[in-house]
Amino acid sequence: MKSLDEYLLDAEQAHGHLCAGQVLGVRMAMLGLQKLGIDDPRGKDRKRLVTFVEIDRCATDAVAVVTGCRLGKRALKFRDWGKVAATFVDVSAGRAVRIVARESSKALARSLQPEIADKNRQQRLAYREMPDQELFDVQGVKVELPPEEFPGYKGERVVCQACGEGINFRREVRRDGKILCRGCAGERYYKVL
Ligand SMILES: [Zn+2]
Ligand SMILES: [Zn+2]
């Protein structure tokens, strides 16, 4: 594993700026890896890790930088829960840990750096220094990961019987003997013009 400072440099580059979320995300991921005993997530341990993130904000980019888990590798899973939290799954050992930023961490940052008016700077500095147990809550958890969720899963590709589009990774819906994509099954997030 790299040092906090090295990861922050990487995160700043990947994300475009250094913000409080980067500090939080880097530290969250470093703690998760440490709890799982994974020390080379981008090298020899790269097939051991799947990460679930619960928010699509700054910290998520930093989690991806440290863990090497990316959406395009199917190793980063997004659950849109609006929480600054992530679950790190060691798929080889069947162990997982969920880490959530404590609600009290913002107020604590303010009390540690009261002379700094800029909130982001205040939090950035405080989040670097605060001990893990003041910044995060850690839960040991169990994650049931079906085969089609693994990064290397190769399944049969099916075709939606309504729209004709192809579907991978068992994401189809089977209803009344028909194979449907999620859009045709009623989960469409867009309207065709
Ligand atoms: Zn940011
Ligand atoms: Zn369809």
Side-chain angles (χ1 to χ4, degrees):
M1 261 216 263
K2 296 186 187 180
S3 71
L4 175 61
D5 284 332
E6 289 171 313
Y7 277 133
L8 286 176
L9 273 178
D10 293 349
E12 181 178 3
Q13 216 163 37
H15 180 63
H17 62 240
L18 185 62
C19 57
Q22 298 306 294
V23 183
L24 215 51
V26 165
R27 287 200 56 190
M28 181 181 274
M30 287 179 78
L31 183 61
L33 295 178
Q34 183 201 319
K35 295 276 175 200
L36 293 174
I38 291 179
D39 52 33
D40 191 8
R42 310 191 69 128
K44 71 172 167 57
D45 295 329
R46 72 186 181 285
K47 296 206 166 140
R48 275 176 69 183
L49 194 63
V50 165
T51 302
F52 287 77
V53 290
E54 298 181 15
I55 198 163
D56 49 355
R57 286 252 29 218
C58 298
T60 293
D61 276 352
V63 167
V65 163
V66 175
T67 59
C69 291
R70 288 188 310 215
L71 202 58
K73 291 202 226 159
R74 310 194 72 234
L76 189 71
K77 315 283 185 187
F78 175 47
R79 296 291 181 270
D80 197 359
W81 287 14
K83 290 184 174 185
V84 184
T87 297
F88 305 89
V89 186
D90 180 346
V91 293
S92 64
R95 289 176 62 216
V97 63
R98 178 173 179 271
I99 302 184
V100 55
R102 299 186 65 170
E103 208 41 40
S104 55
S105 60
K106 272 187 186 159
L108 202 56
R110 209 174 315 134
S111 71
L112 286 174
Q113 310 277 356
E115 72 288 356
I116 299 173
D118 174 6
K119 241 202 195 151
N120 196 288
R121 202 171 112 76
Q122 185 182 63
Q123 288 168 7
R124 220 165 59 217
L125 292 171
Y127 291 167
R128 285 179 79 110
E129 308 301 329
M130 279 160 62
D132 286 331
Q133 62 271 25
E134 286 184 349
L135 215 42
F136 302 115
D137 283 324
V138 179
Q139 301 170 303
V141 295
K142 176 128 190 85
V143 178
E144 305 280 2
L145 220 50
E148 65 268 24
E149 289 300 332
F150 279 76
Y153 177 78
K154 296 217 179 18
E156 161 199 31
R157 183 176 164 88
V158 298
V159 170
C160 174
Q161 290 175 347
C163 70
E165 294 178 359
I167 311 157
N168 286 328
F169 307 128
R170 288 195 196 160
R171 269 26 178 193
E172 73 272 18
V173 176
R174 288 172 195 261
R175 188 186 290 158
D176 303 329
K178 267 195 160 177
I179 295 176
L180 297 173
C181 72
R182 293 198 168 188
C184 294
E187 294 180 40
R188 203 164 273 160
Y189 63 89
Y190 55 87
K191 234 186 223 154
V192 178
L193 298 176

